[in-house]
Amino acid sequence: AIGNIKGFKSGTLRLAVVTTSEYFIPHLLGPFLEQYPDIDIQLNIGNREQTIERLKQGVDDFYVFSHPPTDIETEAIEFLKNPLVAIAHEDHPIAKKKNLTLKDLCQEPFLMREQGSGTRYAIEEFLKQHQVNLNIKMTIESNEAIKHLVMSKLGISILSAHTLLYGGQRGLVRLPIKELPINSNWFFVWSKAKRQTLIASEFLNHIESNGRQLLQQEMVKSELAYTK
Ligand code: PGA
């Protein structure tokens, strides 16, 4: 019925998502656009801090975070797990070791996301809890570049398991560190102050009814990404 309402089929949906969710948001948009091919999508991708800034300015219909800001009035739905896992190249000596703990990980050169990244925020909170420090070798503004640096044996890292789906994991192994994964979740967030458009609420329905399941299936299929 909603499809008959004037204006709905051809409006704009504005999304601002954190960089790590670029691994799954497009897979939600495909099926949605099949249903509503004339909708114009504006997809902005930034790190957590940049995405929070857009939320403050009220630019977009929806935001995707794993750590939504707590000082802004928002509504949110939690829709998927976001385990952060440790990765190394399969030839790295640490990949051969058994009974790995966080202490082992802290010895190795570590590739870290930039200041302002939600991934980094989650890792730092986790390190504080466990009262350990990493041996940071390089700071990099991209999950994809970090993966390729790990593939080139420059170091190890902790990234969202979503970065390892859909074929982007050649030569990588997941390290069975006792204290990991870091458990977090993905949220769709919107501002309380901004009225939801029809397209936006239809998109939310789509995520809740189809999107969740689609992404969960994808996680389960992947040995590297799957966590219980
Ligand atoms: P990031 O965000 O791309 O800023 O690291 C991911 C997250 O918030 O978990």
Side-chain angles (χ1 to χ4, degrees):
I2 207 161
N4 297 327
I5 298 171
K6 197 169 174 283
F8 169 68
K9 283 183 167 176
S10 57
T12 301
L13 177 67
R14 287 191 176 77
L15 300 169
V17 309
V18 291
T19 66
T20 307
S21 62
E22 74 190 351
Y23 291 94
F24 60 85
I25 292 296
H27 297 283
L28 297 176
L29 293 176
F32 183 64
L33 281 176
E34 250 171 54
Q35 246 176 305
Y36 303 105
D38 294 329
I39 288 175
D40 173 39
I41 307 249
Q42 305 275 333
L43 177 62
N44 182 275
I45 297 164
N47 69 20
R48 177 174 184 263
E49 214 164 87
Q50 292 158 345
T51 307
I52 290 176
E53 201 43 50
R54 286 180 74 98
L55 170 59
K56 281 187 181 154
Q57 288 170 13
V59 184
D60 306 277
D61 295 310
F62 287 113
Y63 303 84
V64 173
F65 294 103
S66 69
H67 298 84
T70 49
D71 59 343
I72 305 171
E73 289 241 334
T74 57
E75 308 218 34
I77 57 161
E78 183 186 311
F79 75 102
L80 194 65
K81 284 206 244 177
N82 179 34
L84 304 191
V85 300
I87 53 168
H89 188 277
E90 59 192 358
D91 295 340
H92 193 295
I94 197 173
K96 311 274 184 296
K97 289 191 190 160
K98 298 223 165 68
N99 305 320
L100 287 171
T101 68
L102 200 51
K103 288 240 162 66
D104 299 299
L105 188 112
C106 293
Q107 312 284 319
E108 300 295 331
F110 191 88
L111 309 172
M112 183 62 125
R113 283 285 305 276
E114 77 284 4
Q115 207 50 261
S117 146
T119 305
R120 179 178 180 137
Y121 172 86
I123 294 172
E124 283 177 344
E125 290 297 307
F126 178 78
L127 294 174
K128 261 189 246 163
Q129 270 171 29
H130 290 269
Q131 301 184 334
V132 291
N133 290 307
L134 291 169
N135 169 17
I136 296 178
K137 178 181 172 97
M138 242 171 117
T139 303
I140 305 108
E141 262 185 60
S142 150
N143 291 319
E144 203 54 26
I146 289 179
K147 267 169 46 185
H148 286 275
L149 290 163
V150 174
M151 287 173 189
S152 84
K153 306 181 197 173
L154 263 175
I156 61 176
S157 192
I158 296 177
L159 290 179
S160 163
H162 292 277
T163 66
L164 305 169
L165 293 174
Y166 296 99
Q169 77 286 45
R170 199 173 75 178
L172 299 181
V173 291
R174 171 160 153 195
L175 298 173
I177 308 275
K178 195 177 99 204
E179 295 87 345
L180 290 175
I182 303 175
N183 293 308
S184 62
N185 292 291
W186 289 113
F187 295 89
F188 264 85
V189 174
W190 59 99
S191 163
K192 269 194 176 162
K194 193 170 160 127
R195 208 168 149 258
Q196 238 181 47
T197 64
L198 276 173
I199 297 174
S201 53
E202 189 56 22
F203 182 64
L204 198 58
N205 286 340
H206 172 80
I207 301 294
E208 292 202 289
S209 54
N210 311 317
R212 236 192 215 123
Q213 206 190 356
L214 178 95
L215 296 173
Q216 265 160 7
Q217 283 167 356
E218 215 46 52
M219 294 288 279
V220 171
K221 270 196 273 172
S222 160
E223 242 175 75
L224 265 185
Y226 180 67
T227 51
K228 285 206 184 83

